[in-house]
Structures are given as structure tokens and as C-alpha cells.
Amino acid sequence: MICRGEVIKIRTKKTGVRDNVHISSPKKMNTLLILEILKKYSDENNKLSQKEIVAFVEKEYDVPIDRHTLKRNLDNLLEFRCGVEYAGRDIETGETGGWYYERDITDAEMRMLIDGLLFSKYIPYSECKSLIAKLESLASVGFKSSHGLPENRPENKEIFLNIEELLRAISTNKKVSFNYLRYGADSKTNKKANIVHDKSGKPRVYTVSPYEIVVTNGNYYLICLHDLSDSLYHYRLNSICNIKVLKSDKRRSIRDIPGYKNGFKLAEYMKEHPHMMASGESVQVKLRFNKVAVGHIFEWFGKDIHLTDESEETFTTFIKVNENAMLFWALQYGLHMEVLEPCSLRERIRDAVESIGEKYK
């Protein structure tokens, strides 16, 4: 039985977790307890009868509620429009309705969010586990994640700090400095990434102007510019450490970079960089590909590309894309496409394929 002055734990909509609530008057808590039961045990596909609600309240909180008190509180919840709904008896099927909590996120949407976390390569195990628990707390007890959480993921716990600091730098138009982690020759024994050092043997400090942070191919990347370069660079956020916002250093305007006089358009940039590991200039690439691969072309480069020279089995198109990124992409889809131009890229692909072929002779 709940008594005056007692503290109980209630899952609030704001936090999604159970918070301590001080009880000044047990009767005043009836509405909140009923709402808590509906949040925990019901949804549109799992409705509760008044009898079931009474049973859950008594079981969870040891609070007896009579039928009139329950009905009055349920009506209040309907009037307050706090997410509680009632479905009456279906006239056609005769199926009995019931009370339920209408959720902001459906099970399918929840599943997509959790899968995004599960298969991300940049979120540490402990942080991923905590985020999934918070998401699941927004669902009813009937929702269960069917996938286990893989434990063999990088443990750079600074990634959330990196995101916060980068967002702060971008919003205040400042530069950032950081160290960068990379696996080296000793990775066989310690399986840990080490801080990159400069030629003098000291930890290298990267100072850049940040513009965007993006997720692609399962990794988080920073798009930025070095002081002495006119080409944008990409760094993985889970490899960045010791990041600092340089309050006294204003970042370079991206409009000063050749090719970005009209500003930075992220959607176009991502189409030009199918692989973020590559930096450098974009070029016009003429591509011939099998019709069976047209879906892959649309997925990577968008549906606004112009298809020409249609034959019985192939299409041809022109794509503006980063040359280094296109090299990796062409090796991935080489069985279904051919780069026709520029010649420099054709030669690089040929040399790479021949080098790979030598290994399999």
C-alpha cells in the first residue's frame, strides 16, 4: 500500500526512465499510477480492460482502486489528451475493445532505431547498450529486441564528447584541434589504436575548420578543412581524441575554397563521395553499367542522373564524383560496370585489378 510521504519510482515521458516521485496524497496518485500501467503494458495492439488495469495497479503498487474511481480517472486521462485512448466493441466482429496508451513511436520505428544502433560501427558497447535500454523504455513490455548486442566494437568513449564539441564549434564558427588514433604494426598484440605522431615523434595535433558531421557506411565522419589546404578532408569521429574548441580561432569560410563559392551542399557532396575514406577533387566520370545494377547506381548517386546510350543490356551515364572514392567504388562493383572516362581513373582501376589478380594466381 502506498502511504503519505512515501517515495516511489515512476517512468516519466520526459526521461523515459523511472524517477523518484514523492507521495503527498495517495489518492492524487491514482491517475498517475493508471497512466503508468497503460504506458508499461498496453499499446494499440495490446489493449487492457478495466479489470486488467485494476489488477496491474494492485499488483505493481499495492493500491486498491474501485470501479468508479478507475472510470473517473480514465475519463480524466482522455480529457487531458495525454496519449490514453479507448477502443469500443467492434460492431462487425464483436471483438471487445479496451484502454491503451498511444505511443509516439511505433514498434516498427522503434525497431529501425535500435537496428541503427546495433549495426553502427562507431558507438561503444556500453553506450550502445544504454541507448537501446532508453529506447526500449519508451515501448510497452510486449516489445522485445530480437538481436543481441555485439560486444566486439571499438570502445572510444569520447565519441559523444566529440559530437558535442564539434556541434559547438560549428555553431560558433570556431576551429578545433585533436589527436587521431590509428592501428599500427603492434596491433597484432595489443589490438588497440595509437595516437598518430609527427616526424619529430610527438603526438600530432590536427587543427581544422569543421563544417559537417555525417554518418555513412556505418561510420561517423567529420568533414573539415586544414589551414594550408584547399581540399576537404574526412576523419572518423571514433578515431578522434583529446578534442578542443579553439575559442580564439575563427574557422575558414568554406566559400573561400575553390568550387564552394556558393556554399556547401551536403547532399551533393555525399553523392560525390561514396566512400568517405577518400579526399581530394571531384571529376566527371563516364560510366557504363549493366541494367541489373541500375538499382545500385540510384542508391549511391541518386535518381536524378541522366541515362544515355541504352543498349539491350547496358546504360551509360556521367557522374561527378571524387576520383579516389570512385576507385574504391569501381573495385566493389567492377563485375557490373566499366569506367570509360577519365583515362587516368581507368588506368588506376586497371593497375589495381592487375595487382589484385597477381595475388590469386
Side-chain angles (χ1 to χ4, degrees), residues 164-187:
E164 290 177 4
E165 294 294 271
L166 287 169
L167 290 175
R168 185 158 66 93
I170 292 170
S171 65
T172 57
N173 212 30
K174 301 298 182 183
K175 294 180 183 178
V176 296
S177 67
F178 55 82
N179 298 123
Y180 201 67
L181 300 171
R182 187 170 291 155
Y183 288 95
D186 61 345
S187 300

Side-chain angles (χ1 to χ4, degrees), residues 95-113:
E95 184 178 334
T96 303
W99 296 85
Y100 66 96
Y101 184 73
E102 188 175 44
R103 301 182 182 279
D104 295 330
I105 301 178
T106 67
D107 283 358
E109 292 169 337
M110 181 74 70
R111 189 55 215 263
M112 290 179 68
L113 290 171

Side-chain angles (χ1 to χ4, degrees), residues 5-20:
E6 186 176 348
V7 175
I8 65 172
K9 287 186 177 291
I10 294 291
R11 183 176 59 177
T12 66
K13 189 170 184 178
K14 180 179 180 181
T15 63
V17 296
R18 294 185 175 273
D19 289 343
N20 290 330

